[in-house]
């Protein structure tokens, strides 16, 4: 058996309340900056207020993701492009 009220509320006009946020959709992954070797690409999203006008939104999670792109330098010799058009990346 529990005692006390089942709900608690307060006026959020005083800045004491967290502003509920919701993430936007992820942006597209940026293009891989290399044509040979390994690199990183990123994408991002924005935390938006679920109920606009209440302040800075609070979302759970990260606003950025990273992943690797490309392939090992050893495979560059199999590319159909001329060698001077290949942009070499680094190992990650």
């Amino acid at each position: 058996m529990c005692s006390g009220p089942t709900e608690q509320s307060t006026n959020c006009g005083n800045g004491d309340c967290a502003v509920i946020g919701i993430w936007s959709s992820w942006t597209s992954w940026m293009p891989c900056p290399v044509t040979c070797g390994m690199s990183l690409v990123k994408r991002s999203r924005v935390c938006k207020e679920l109920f606009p006008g209440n302040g800075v939104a609070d979302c759970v999670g990260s606003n950025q993701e990273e992943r690797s792109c490309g392939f090992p330098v050893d495979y560059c010799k199999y590319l159909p492009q001329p060698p001077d058009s290949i942009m070499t990346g680094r190992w990650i």
Side-chain angles (χ1 to χ4, degrees):
M1 189 72 161
C2 298
S3 63
T6 58
E7 293 182 4
Q8 182 179 8
S9 63
T10 184
N11 181 355
C12 287
N14 59 12
D16 292 339
C17 300
V19 176
I20 299 170
I22 187 167
W23 287 114
S24 67
S25 298
W26 286 103
T27 60
S28 299
W29 288 101
M30 57 189 272
C32 192
V34 298
T35 56
C36 177
M38 301 297 290
S39 189
L40 290 175
V41 290
K42 297 179 183 181
R43 69 179 183 168
S44 60
R45 61 185 179 174
V46 176
C47 182
K48 301 186 294 186
E49 293 178 49
L50 187 57
F51 304 106
N54 293 322
V56 177
D58 184 25
C59 292
V60 176
S62 177
N63 67 337
Q64 262 192 5
E65 284 186 334
E66 291 182 339
R67 72 177 183 189
S68 61
C69 68
F71 50 89
V73 175
D74 294 344
Y75 296 108
C76 292
K77 60 186 172 191
Y78 301 109
L79 292 174
Q81 300 145 319
D84 59 340
S85 70
I86 296 173
M87 296 181 295
T88 304
R90 57 181 166 70
W91 283 102
I92 55 172

